[in-house]
Amino acid sequence: MPQFFLNKRLIILLVSIIVLVALIGFSLREREKVTWPEQFLKDMTGFVQNALSGPTNYIAGFIENVQDLQNTYSENQELKPRLDKLASLEAEVQRLKKDNAELRDIVGKEDALSQYEPIQATVIGRNPDRYHENLIINRGENDGIQADMAVITANGLIGKVKNAQSFTSTVQLLSSMDPTNRISAAIQAEDNKKVFGLIEGYDKDKKLLMMTKIPYDAEVKEGQNVISSGLGGVFPEGLIIGKVVEVENAEYGLTQTAYLETGADLYDINHVMVAKITSMSAEIQEELQSTLEEEEEEE
Amino acid sequence: MRKYLLPFLFLFLFVFESIFVQYLPTEMFGSDRITVPRFLIISILFLTVFSSRKYGIIYGIIFGLLFDIVYTGVIGIYLFSFPIFAYLMSKLMRILQTNIVMVSLASLLLIVLLEIGVYEINVVINQTDLSFADFASLRLLPTVVLNSAFIIIASYPLKRHFEKFMASVSD
């Protein structure tokens, strides 16, 4: 049927399906950096988004303020007793900080995994199609942001930087489905013990984060706090992730899986901080690098 | 004047979708339904009908590519579905009468098809684990309701604008 193959539209359709598959395959590949035309387009739309999100932010802020005013009385009642405790807490924190610094001096270890420098950023966009939970923020490489940095709000961890352009960056939320998105975390169990596990995936039905690979004999209870462990070397230590809601045995019963409620609201996000690690001294980095290389050689 | 306004109108709609989702996600009201604004593709479909198919497909390609790069990060899904749906719309309008009610109903039908198509692609490339029943009740239905509200509000102004645009181009 020569006529069938001469149909121009059919050829265009077939060629575009091939290109479609190739493009999807290209963009799903794990990429260290997005290509420069993508970066350019993202930055250009970033300018427009910045310009438009300014006024909307202002209006939304105003509405929020009015709503806050309505609850002022009850909030005040609740906060007054806490205020009394604050002074003593502050004094204790000061003392502990000093203690900590002195002890570090004695041990000779200056850096901690928990040290980071927060970079303030404003959310200027969110993916409308909601399959990929991405945010766009108005800070980029020029402000020191790099891929894989932790993104937090005042209430805890919300995600990581997926990729950074010069003036904007894309943030991947904890709730997005990505099998490569793993965070080393620790549950603060009783008696100051830490139970380690991995944050891996999001249960869409329960709307809860999943923490897997918890040892089967660890005693994990509801309501315990979960923080980042800092062992991955990418995220700083001690960022609040959430609270345990439910614990169950994983498949085969060798490990446990905990379901966490995130501390931060993953929907109502306007201002975020990007945690730039400052503590990674050259020594630690070399050590990490060498262990990684060893592991690769073993494989 | 009107000629140069068109790209800015679409750029505004493009950014407006993301602002809409950021400030008014239904999760804020304690619901687990997901509404997806499809204002951009609705306007592209109206552009196809009321100005010309050529413009509809060109704008579909440009803004589909932008959507993929800026929002989803997976290039290809919207880059192809936007122009293909613009083309389908023009074919559909040969059968149907070109009045505003029929155009609105046809674009609503295409929105449903677009949602299902995008869902199926995302299932194939393993980017979602939503079952089809959940997809239909949690995503599709609320999305159709939201977008029909948008069509009711915006259909007449869009029609007027695109017709005037066509007149100014042909001058």
Side-chain angles (χ1 to χ4, degrees):
Chain A
M1 287 198 298
Q3 220 171 2
F4 180 77
F5 289 104
L6 284 174
N7 190 335
K8 204 175 104 197
R9 276 176 208 148
L10 189 78
I11 303 257
I12 290 178
L13 186 72
L14 289 178
V15 169
S16 48
I17 286 175
I18 293 170
V19 177
L20 166 78
V21 172
L23 274 176
I24 289 180
F26 168 74
S27 46
L28 279 181
R29 205 181 58 183
E30 268 190 49
R31 294 187 289 173
E32 286 268 293
K33 233 171 162 13
V34 285
T35 51
W36 70 263
E38 283 173 82
Q39 292 198 12
F40 176 74
L41 281 174
K42 277 181 162 182
D43 273 341
M44 288 323 264
T45 39
F47 283 124
V48 182
Q49 285 172 324
N50 239 331
L52 274 174
S53 75
T56 25
N57 238 328
Y58 182 78
I59 296 168
F62 179 74
I63 294 171
E64 214 165 279
N65 285 346
V66 171
Q67 282 173 341
D68 279 351
L69 271 181
Q70 290 178 326
N71 318 330
T72 315
Y73 180 74
S74 53
E75 263 175 21
N76 224 350
Q77 291 288 347
E78 213 174 288
L79 288 176
K80 264 182 192 161
R82 281 203 215 172
L83 203 63
D84 297 334
K85 283 186 205 158
L86 198 66
S88 63
L89 254 177
E90 235 168 49
E92 205 180 333
V93 168
Q94 281 297 331
R95 192 178 58 79
L96 286 174
K97 262 192 185 167
K98 214 178 131 215
D99 256 18
N100 199 349
E102 278 172 9
L103 287 172
R104 267 181 203 290
D105 246 13
I106 294 169
V107 182
K109 189 179 157 214
E110 282 175 11
D111 309 316
L113 285 173
S114 59
Q115 277 173 358
Y116 63 87
E117 178 192 322
I119 304 169
Q120 304 281 346
T122 306
V123 178
I124 53 172
R126 190 180 179 128
N127 178 13
D129 104 324
R130 307 291 295 277
Y131 284 110
H132 317 262
E133 295 278 19
N134 294 340
L135 294 181
I136 301 160
I137 57 174
N138 67 348
R139 292 275 183 273
E141 275 173 350
N142 286 8
D143 308 279
I145 292 179
Q146 275 160 8
D148 288 333
M149 283 181 176
V151 182
I152 52 181
T153 65
N155 296 322
L157 189 74
I158 57 166
K160 67 164 187 184
V161 176
K162 196 176 175 194
N163 41 52
Q165 293 84 48
S166 301
F167 303 104
T168 57
S169 343
T170 309
V171 175
Q172 187 178 40
L173 291 183
L174 288 174
S175 54
S176 72
M177 197 182 131
D178 182 359
T180 59
N181 202 359
R182 290 199 192 108
I183 301 158
S184 169
I187 300 173
Q188 293 180 312
E190 282 159 1
D191 308 331
N192 280 336
K193 272 185 195 158
K194 272 185 179 174
V195 177
F196 292 99
L198 282 176
I199 302 281
E200 203 174 9
Y202 185 77
D203 194 309
K204 278 258 156 74
D205 294 333
K206 293 180 181 169
K207 301 225 162 235
L208 296 171
L209 270 182
M210 285 190 289
M211 182 169 171
T212 58
K213 310 275 190 299
I214 302 169
Y216 69 94
D217 55 351
E219 277 181 42
V220 179
K221 291 204 182 95
E222 280 174 33
Q224 284 172 337
N225 282 321
V226 180
I227 56 170
S228 63
S229 70
L231 296 178
V234 184
F235 286 11
E237 186 190 351
L239 300 177
I240 302 164
I241 297 175
K243 269 195 167 75
V244 178
V245 177
E246 206 182 312
V247 190
E248 62 183 36
N249 281 330
E251 261 181 290
Y252 315 121
L254 295 173
T255 56
Q256 296 182 80
T257 301
Y259 289 92
L260 319 177
E261 196 176 27
T262 49
D265 187 347
L266 292 180
Y267 297 105
D268 190 11
I269 310 166
N270 292 325
H271 298 281
V272 297
M273 281 175 279
V274 181
K276 183 184 177 188
I277 284 198
T278 52
S279 72
M280 287 289 272
S281 60
E283 212 177 305
I284 300 177
Q285 256 171 348
E286 264 172 38
E287 216 170 282
L288 266 176
Q289 202 62 41
S290 60
T291 44
L292 278 178
E293 274 164 20
E294 270 170 32
E295 270 174 25
E296 267 170 32
E297 273 168 27
E298 276 169 24
E299 276 171 18
Chain B
M1 178 61 205
R2 222 165 256 281
K3 245 189 282 189
Y4 308 108
L5 216 63
L6 200 65
F8 290 102
L9 172 74
F10 279 94
L11 198 59
F12 172 75
L13 281 166
F14 177 73
V15 177
F16 179 70
E17 275 188 357
S18 97
I19 290 177
F20 185 88
V21 169
Q22 194 196 336
Y23 286 101
L24 287 170
T26 39
E27 278 86 353
M28 266 169 80
F29 311 113
S31 156
D32 51 359
R33 292 191 169 80
I34 297 170
T35 51
V36 184
R38 295 283 183 205
F39 309 152
L40 187 64
I41 181 71
I42 291 173
S43 310
I44 288 173
L45 295 179
F46 271 75
L47 180 70
T48 318
V49 177
F50 293 115
S51 62
S52 78
R53 190 170 90 189
K54 191 182 87 189
Y55 278 104
I57 290 177
I58 290 172
Y59 272 84
I61 291 173
I62 292 171
F63 282 94
L65 181 65
L66 261 185
F67 199 101
D68 280 335
I69 288 177
V70 176
Y71 293 138
T72 64
V74 181
I75 307 165
I77 301 179
Y78 290 100
L79 169 63
F80 284 91
S81 50
F82 279 9
I84 284 171
F85 276 88
Y87 180 78
L88 282 181
M89 186 70 175
S90 72
K91 285 282 166 209
L92 211 57
M93 277 303 124
R94 288 210 184 143
I95 314 164
L96 302 170
Q97 283 177 319
T98 316
N99 66 42
I100 196 157
V101 179
M102 289 316 274
V103 176
S104 301
L105 288 177
S107 46
L108 208 55
L109 173 75
L110 288 182
I111 293 292
V112 173
L113 289 180
L114 176 76
E115 273 292 316
I116 294 173
V118 170
Y119 166 74
E120 289 298 342
I121 294 177
N122 274 305
V123 168
V124 168
I125 62 174
N126 198 16
Q127 295 285 316
T128 180
D129 52 2
L130 217 60
S131 70
F132 191 82
D134 279 347
F135 160 76
S137 66
L138 292 181
R139 272 192 83 110
L140 190 58
L141 206 66
T143 301
V144 167
V145 172
L146 172 72
N147 286 300
S148 44
F150 175 79
I151 289 176
I152 291 168
I153 295 167
S155 58
Y156 189 66
L158 282 178
K159 174 177 180 265
R160 281 282 301 271
H161 186 87
F162 293 149
E163 279 173 350
K164 279 187 184 162
F165 162 76
M166 210 48 205
S168 73
V169 168
S170 53
D171 276 347

